[in-house]
Amino acid sequence: MRTQILVILAVALGASTADAARWAQRPVGGASMARAAAATGASEAAAVVQTALAEAQAARAVLAATPAVHGAAAEAAGVALAAVPALDAAAAEAARAGAQLADAAAAAPAARAAAAAAVWGGGRRMATVPPPPWRQGDPADSLYRSARQALNDGDYRRAAQLFAEVASRYPRSAYAADALYWQAFALYRSGGSGELRAALAALEVQGTRYPQASTRGDAETLATRINGELARRGDEQAARRVARRADAVTRAPQQGCPTEDDENDMRVAALNALLQMGTEQAMPILRQVLARRDACSATLRRRAVFLVSQKRTPETAAILLKAAREDPDPEVRGQAVFWLSQVQGDEAVDALQDVLRTATDAEVKEKALFALSQHRGAKAANALRAYALSDAASPELRAKAVFWIGQSRSPQNAQFLRDLFTRTRDAELKERILFSLSQMGREMNGRWLMDVAMGSDQPIEIRKKALFWAAQGGAPAADLVALYDRSGDREIKEQLIFAYSQRRDPAFVDKLIDIARHEKDVELRKRAIFWLSQSKDPRAVEVLQEIINR
């Protein structure tokens, strides 16, 4: 299940399906993908929550409008209703997981950067397994076989030595041209800085002696990756090579538009290598990429906004805001807003507020709300509250703002949501506030929800939802039990019976037994009996036998 969610996250951010699948399965930089994907996890969790809530609320609405049924029909309805709180609980858990993932993101920028680099792919898919021997009579055949076996066994030093011997001892062999590539690949897998430089030297020899070698395309990609790794380790010459390569390929005329799953594009590898470079060298190239407006450069611009977000400079927020405002590609705009969530500081918060004021795309605004929720300062919190209060905003987006406010469990946010509930007339927004307060915990919120349920100033459906979320939020059992005898509203009593059936507290079983034995309303007694039949408490069996034997 986690793998599927991570694939969805990666594809949602613009990764190819193939890259996303590899990203979800593979550790990067010593961190698990679950931690490294944290930057996107919260956003996806929110989507899961919204979908789950919509389905749960629809199910409850249908059930509330359905007359009481008997026999098998009643049992079927009960089973369907029983599934609703499980769905709500799963939604709440997804919300909590989203918040935890976001916290992990803030604490692990290096892991996030490594994971995101994996999402964006490594350019052309290099050859990684030498082909089987194909020239049995060739003088280098047996040596090639040994080198190939050593590489496949993971003995990279020996493989590099044997492939080098193929090219030096048998330069006219059918194996010689590609042996230099495999020598470089084995050195690359060895990983030492000396080995990486030796690998570059082997690739240069291949380009000079065997320009028509079948692995020359792979060699270019491998050289780009090696230079990127050396640049990360502080090699200034390698960094200059990466910069020249990135500048050249991003300026080069487009030869057809690559699809999202096309890995055979050297520009992708060159851009990814910029992640390892210093800010002064990388940022001018990234600005050039983002300035392009030809349709075929959209894939590069999507990668560029991520790379800009990882180069933390005073101009990072401004560049991302410009992309969010002006880029013609909706995915570029959305990703620019998303990555603003990871750029700390008032400049980023100002940029996100500007997006909320000026953007016309609802999805971009939704990402801006999420991004604001990831900033921990008072300015971002106030911006989120102001948007939830705004009558000019759409009800859907105000509901999103309420959701993210609810994920920050502070007394100030709880009080804000309770005040907003009394001010708004929008039923959907009221429901979202009830849910958010239930997720915040605290006994004060539980009692407030019960007060809403028992009051007479709200529509009955709002009152029933308040009661449901009070029970789901862990309101004290004694308080919930006491509500039944206090209530004079039949529908509220029905909701309480259902709430009792969903909690594993003996006090609720006791109350269901009391209702089944003494309630004067026959239909309410039937409901209590039905839910007792679903209980595994041995006392429930005794009561059912008692009723049958009357």
Side-chain angles (χ1 to χ4, degrees):
M1 183 64 177
R2 186 186 72 178
T3 296
Q4 293 172 336
I5 292 173
L6 292 177
V7 170
I8 292 170
L9 294 177
V11 172
L13 281 175
S16 70
T17 304
D19 282 343
R22 288 195 296 277
W23 175 57
Q25 296 287 355
R26 184 178 63 196
V28 172
S32 72
M33 283 299 95
R35 288 205 315 276
T40 56
S43 182
E44 182 64 19
V48 173
V49 168
Q50 306 305 340
T51 301
L53 278 177
E55 293 175 0
Q57 290 164 355
R60 286 197 297 277
V62 170
L63 228 94
T66 303
V69 288
H70 305 283
E75 184 174 354
V79 171
L81 188 57
V84 172
L87 182 60
D88 289 319
E93 186 60 30
R96 285 191 289 271
Q100 291 166 0
L101 284 172
D103 289 340
R112 186 174 66 250
V119 170
W120 301 130
R124 176 187 171 94
R125 185 188 290 119
M126 298 183 309
T128 57
V129 178
W134 68 91
R135 288 287 184 91
Q136 190 170 0
D138 192 288
D141 184 74
S142 61
L143 190 56
Y144 175 84
R145 290 173 185 269
S146 298
R148 182 176 183 271
Q149 187 62 52
L151 183 60
N152 291 341
D153 290 344
D155 189 350
Y156 300 123
R157 292 182 183 278
R158 176 168 171 75
Q161 179 184 355
L162 292 175
F163 279 121
E165 288 186 28
V166 169
S168 62
R169 291 173 56 185
Y170 305 103
R172 296 185 179 181
S173 163
Y175 296 111
D178 290 335
L180 287 164
Y181 169 80
W182 293 114
Q183 175 195 354
F185 180 78
L187 290 166
Y188 167 68
R189 295 299 297 271
S190 295
S193 296
E195 284 86 353
L196 293 177
R197 293 186 181 94
L200 288 176
L203 294 175
E204 289 179 8
V205 171
Q206 185 195 41
T208 301
R209 293 183 184 175
Y210 307 103
Q212 303 303 317
S214 62
T215 52
R216 280 309 298 161
D218 303 279
E220 291 181 6
T221 301
L222 178 57
T224 299
R225 293 188 181 183
I226 292 171
N227 278 313
E229 177 58 25
L230 287 171
R232 187 184 68 81
R233 300 181 187 186
D235 188 315
E236 293 184 5
Q237 290 185 345
R240 286 194 290 271
R241 288 194 291 268
V242 168
R244 287 196 300 269
R245 182 63 175 165
D247 185 58
V249 297
T250 54
R251 289 174 179 271
Q254 192 84 14
Q255 295 181 352
C257 293
T259 65
E260 289 297 322
D261 291 324
D262 183 7
E263 297 176 341
N264 298 308
D265 191 330
M266 280 301 301
R267 296 171 307 163
V268 174
L271 269 183
N272 289 335
L274 293 177
L275 187 64
Q276 315 299 342
M277 289 178 52
T279 300
E280 298 77 10
Q281 294 171 304
M283 289 298 274
I285 299 171
L286 293 172
R287 283 196 296 268
Q288 290 171 8
V289 173
L290 289 172
R292 294 180 64 165
R293 288 295 178 263
D294 52 296
C296 288
S297 68
T299 299
L300 293 177
R301 300 199 308 274
R302 292 169 196 165
R303 286 159 171 78
V305 292
F306 157 70
L307 293 169
V308 167
S309 75
Q310 301 306 302
K311 304 294 184 182
R312 305 299 169 83
T313 74
E315 62 179 342
T316 296
I319 293 174
L320 291 175
L321 176 59
K322 183 177 175 65
R325 282 175 173 171
E326 301 177 4
D327 198 280
D329 182 72
E331 288 191 40
V332 173
R333 296 195 300 271
Q335 288 174 24
V337 172
F338 171 81
W339 288 115
L340 277 168
S341 69
Q342 306 307 311
V343 179
Q344 297 303 311
D346 286 349
E347 294 84 359
V349 174
D350 290 339
L352 290 168
Q353 288 181 280
D354 189 86
V355 170
L356 289 175
R357 285 193 299 268
T358 62
T360 57
D361 188 324
E363 289 188 15
V364 169
K365 287 189 174 185
E366 185 177 338
K367 287 183 171 65
L369 292 171
F370 160 72
L372 280 172
S373 75
Q374 303 309 295
H375 288 263
R376 302 305 182 193
K379 187 171 186 176
N382 290 335
L384 208 54
R385 292 175 194 148
Y387 197 83
L389 282 170
S390 174
D391 292 329
S394 72
E396 294 80 11
L397 287 172
R398 292 180 71 191
K400 301 282 187 183
V402 164
F403 172 81
W404 289 117
I405 291 170
Q407 295 309 301
S408 179
R409 304 177 184 185
S410 68
Q412 295 85 354
N413 277 344
Q415 185 62 54
F416 169 81
L417 292 176
R418 292 194 294 267
D419 292 343
L420 180 59
F421 183 88
T422 62
R423 295 178 54 174
T424 184
R425 296 183 179 181
D426 187 277
E428 182 180 349
L429 193 59
K430 284 180 178 286
E431 291 176 17
R432 193 61 53 85
I433 292 170
L434 296 175
F435 166 76
S436 292
L437 284 167
S438 75
Q439 300 310 297
M440 284 182 160
R442 294 181 174 270
E443 187 172 312
M444 179 186 299
N445 291 330
R447 293 187 186 282
W448 182 86
L449 289 167
M450 287 189 287
D451 288 342
V452 172
M454 298 307 292
S456 58
D457 57 337
Q458 296 294 332
I460 188 63
E461 287 306 315
I462 293 294
R463 294 170 59 198
K464 288 166 65 176
K465 287 181 171 64
L467 185 56
F468 174 83
W469 286 117
Q472 291 296 309
D479 291 347
L480 285 169
V481 167
L483 286 183
Y484 191 89
D485 295 327
R486 286 174 48 199
S487 176
D489 192 307
R490 190 174 185 280
E491 289 190 61
I492 292 297
K493 287 189 172 184
E494 289 178 359
Q495 189 71 15
L496 280 166
I497 290 171
F498 171 68
Y500 299 156
S501 73
Q502 302 306 300
R503 295 271 295 269
R504 297 180 181 180
D505 191 304
F508 295 129
V509 177
D510 290 339
K511 189 59 182 178
L512 288 173
I513 290 173
D514 178 67
I515 296 168
R517 282 174 170 166
H518 304 118
E519 172 62 60
K520 295 180 181 180
D521 187 311
V522 174
E523 292 303 319
L524 292 177
R525 290 180 65 191
K526 286 181 180 180
R527 285 178 180 269
I529 290 169
F530 172 78
W531 288 115
L532 279 172
S533 72
Q534 307 301 306
S535 171
K536 296 181 180 180
D537 192 303
R539 291 173 299 162
V541 176
E542 294 175 5
V543 172
L544 293 175
Q545 288 178 334
E546 171 193 318
I547 294 173
I548 292 170
N549 293 330
R550 283 180 182 175

